[in-house]
Amino acid sequence: MSSQTTTVGHDEVAALKTVALRGGLREPVKVSCSTLGERLGASSQTASRRLQRLDAAGLLDRDVVGDGQWVSVTGAGERRLRAEYADYRRLFEGEAGLTLAGTVTSGMGEGRHYIQLSGYHEQFVERLGYEPFPGTLNVSLTEAAVRARAGLDSVEGVPIDGWEDDERTFGPATCYAAAVVADGERFEPVHVIVPERTHHDEDQLELIAPAKLREELSLADGDEITVRVTDAERADDPAPVGTANGGSA
């Protein structure tokens, strides 16, 4: 499938929102392209193309019948709408970041290996400002947190570049600044690390920190924690022009 077919822009998101407002988040709803086009200020042909793109992108399920079509918003579609919602909250309410709840779980032990690879490790030290503990804390998110996770798209993260050695290519990732709260105790700095290519499901979160979080917060598998994500800044960003040496702009 071509990338052009699955491209989703603001017009398609507007159509997705319209379907959701008609109840498509809860159950399939019947729509006609002419009615949808009127709501969107577009022709019925344009409305039909937008639904087709949403379907191709996996944001909408469609069942075309003789006098219209039954449509419903998929899980991916709901996450896209929640990301839009997070952007508007930040715009009008000054909200930056999000809170994710979950329970501590054991991973597959791969975090230790990848974090110590020189191509990643050097970037962590330089861009995050600390040397991470060789391992990750794995968190299984609640259903509500899985839905809220889409808000990560509206939070500023620190990019970790991909790289390669003589044997293979390693993909890029993004690190989001966070604090972990457990049983009234708080630890930071922490970063949520989200690889571009990952085998983890949306309900799994990986955290890195300069110390072993299980020991710092006395955590065991099954313990409930809260991860508070905020905008991240690169530790190696230069000082703004005019502020060095106490100067002013």
Side-chain angles (χ1 to χ4, degrees):
M1 188 176 293
S2 69
S3 59
Q4 183 177 6
T5 302
T6 58
T7 297
V8 172
H10 295 296
D11 290 338
E12 285 73 31
V13 172
L16 184 66
K17 182 182 72 173
T18 300
V19 171
L21 287 171
R22 294 195 61 185
L25 267 176
R26 300 184 300 274
E27 59 186 2
V29 293
K30 192 173 184 180
V31 300
S32 70
C33 290
S34 58
T35 300
L36 180 62
E38 290 177 2
R39 290 177 176 269
L40 299 174
S43 67
S44 59
Q45 291 83 1
T46 297
S48 177
R49 286 194 294 270
R50 292 178 186 174
L51 291 178
Q52 291 172 21
R53 293 192 191 106
L54 290 168
D55 187 9
L59 304 182
L60 198 73
D61 282 334
R62 295 189 307 144
D63 182 17
V64 180
V65 294
D67 57 345
Q69 49 192 304
W70 291 90
V71 296
S72 61
V73 179
T74 64
E78 180 179 354
R79 289 192 293 273
R80 180 61 181 266
L81 290 174
R82 285 184 177 276
E84 293 285 318
Y85 172 65
D87 282 339
Y88 281 113
R89 285 195 65 184
R90 185 171 182 176
L91 178 63
F92 292 110
E93 301 176 16
E95 293 277 349
L98 66 158
T99 299
L100 304 173
T103 56
V104 175
T105 185
S106 294
M108 294 185 291
E110 294 184 349
R112 175 185 297 272
H113 169 68
Y114 284 104
I115 285 176
Q116 294 184 95
L117 292 174
S118 60
Y120 288 131
H121 187 269
E122 292 171 4
Q123 293 186 72
F124 291 146
V125 173
E126 180 179 301
R127 301 183 181 185
L128 304 184
Y130 61 80
E131 182 171 351
F133 171 81
T136 61
L137 181 70
N138 293 77
V139 182
S140 179
L141 299 175
T142 64
E143 286 189 22
V146 171
R147 295 192 294 268
R149 179 181 176 145
L152 280 177
D153 291 341
S154 67
V155 179
E156 293 292 333
V158 174
I160 302 298
D161 300 328
W163 54 285
E164 59 183 50
D165 59 17
D166 294 335
E167 298 181 355
R168 57 169 291 188
T169 298
F170 297 87
T174 303
C175 290
Y176 299 93
V180 175
V181 179
D183 198 23
E185 298 292 325
R186 179 186 179 98
F187 186 95
E188 57 184 326
V190 174
H191 283 84
V192 176
I193 182 167
V194 181
E196 184 175 285
R197 297 177 299 193
T198 179
H199 57 268
H200 286 305
D201 295 327
E202 288 292 313
D203 63 350
Q204 298 294 313
L205 211 61
E206 283 190 286
L207 309 178
I208 61 175
K212 187 174 183 178
L213 292 172
R214 283 180 178 265
E215 292 183 356
E216 294 293 328
L217 296 171
S218 300
L219 297 173
D221 283 0
D223 286 349
E224 297 180 354
I225 67 171
T226 300
V227 182
R228 295 176 179 166
V229 185
T230 57
D231 284 338
E233 294 182 0
R234 286 179 54 158
D236 60 344
D237 270 349
V241 175
T243 62
N245 300 322
S248 59

